Amino acid sequence: MLKITRSATAFQYAALGAGLYAPKKFTATFEGDKWLSVRARVTIDAEWEKAEFGYRVTRLQVDEVDGGEKITSEMVREIPVTTLLRKAALRAILRGPHRTPPVFRFSIDIPEEEVQRLVSEGPKPATLRLVSHFYTVASIVGLPPVEFVIKKLGLKPRTASHWIKLARERGFLKVIALSEVTRQEEAMEFEDDVAGPDLIENVGMEQVSGA
């Protein structure tokens, strides 16, 4: 089980560009073998850090469950807090058109057939928005953004680098990667006109679904 609790109020979200919105605070509760190697319930509180362009954990709570383990310092050290934060952020970040309030969808909620259709059209505006979307998502959760774009769009590295450059030059991408895992934000919003049903492809991580 992964349960995310976040505000339902639009002003409690930070606009990230590329049609993405980060809740300024959220709570994530994990339980079960899918998420944890320990038999316990783990709850984290996270807050958005604008300067770091990502989340930090502000509270970690470990609770016993029926039939679970006794809570010890050794058991707590086995909890992969950074990995759990990444998985929770992927579920917490939302996307949608710029309205008041925004109409949200999950952050990587784009079907493969839609991705492939846009890729086949070349670096047109909608495709460069898609590049910006995946690059920004990866930057937020601490994955290498260029590699993420390569995997999600099925591009060759040289093509991916060129399209990322075009997305930045044409104003779609406002995240500046000082390295592939160091992030910085420039505040500007763009409408993302690519949408579709829930589909989250496994890219070096588990799919972040609810149960």
Side-chain angles (χ1 to χ4, degrees), residues 21-187:
Y21 297 83
K24 295 179 181 178
K25 296 181 181 181
F26 71 81
T27 298
T29 301
F30 297 85
E31 185 177 343
D33 294 343
K34 179 176 180 178
W35 306 103
L36 300 167
S37 60
V38 298
R39 288 178 294 168
R41 181 184 303 111
V42 176
T43 302
I44 61 174
D45 288 345
E47 291 188 6
W48 176 253
E49 288 285 332
K50 182 177 180 180
E52 297 296 325
F53 202 60
Y55 284 99
R56 67 181 178 92
V57 174
T58 58
R59 182 178 69 95
L60 172 68
Q61 178 176 317
V62 184
D63 297 303
E64 289 188 9
V65 296
D66 291 341
E69 303 174 39
K70 180 180 179 180
I71 297 174
T72 64
S73 58
E74 290 80 7
M75 185 258 272
V76 172
R77 282 196 292 269
E78 292 181 22
I79 297 172
V81 177
T82 300
T83 299
L84 294 181
L85 177 62
R86 174 182 295 166
K87 293 176 179 179
L90 282 168
R91 185 172 174 83
I93 298 165
L94 300 173
R95 67 185 292 268
H98 296 274
R99 301 174 185 167
T100 306
V103 179
F104 292 130
R105 290 181 168 86
F106 283 128
S107 64
I108 45 180
D109 147 26
I110 301 173
E112 185 176 356
E113 58 269 23
E114 181 71 3
V115 171
Q116 294 308 313
R117 181 186 68 80
L118 290 170
V119 168
S120 69
E121 294 178 356
K124 293 184 177 180
T127 309
L128 296 180
R129 290 189 184 99
L130 186 68
V131 169
S132 303
H133 168 79
F134 286 128
Y135 189 101
T136 303
V137 168
S139 299
I140 292 166
V141 301
L143 294 171
V146 177
E147 293 179 16
F148 195 73
V149 170
I150 290 170
K151 287 184 177 290
K152 295 297 289 184
L153 274 64
L155 300 175
K156 294 181 178 180
R158 184 173 181 178
T159 302
S161 296
H162 179 56
W163 287 12
I164 290 167
K165 181 174 180 288
L166 289 177
R168 198 182 307 283
E169 289 174 348
R170 298 177 187 178
F172 297 110
L173 178 59
K174 301 301 293 184
V175 177
I176 301 174
L178 302 181
S179 70
E180 285 195 357
V181 293
T182 304
R183 285 90 59 201
Q184 181 177 343
E185 178 187 17
E186 289 184 0

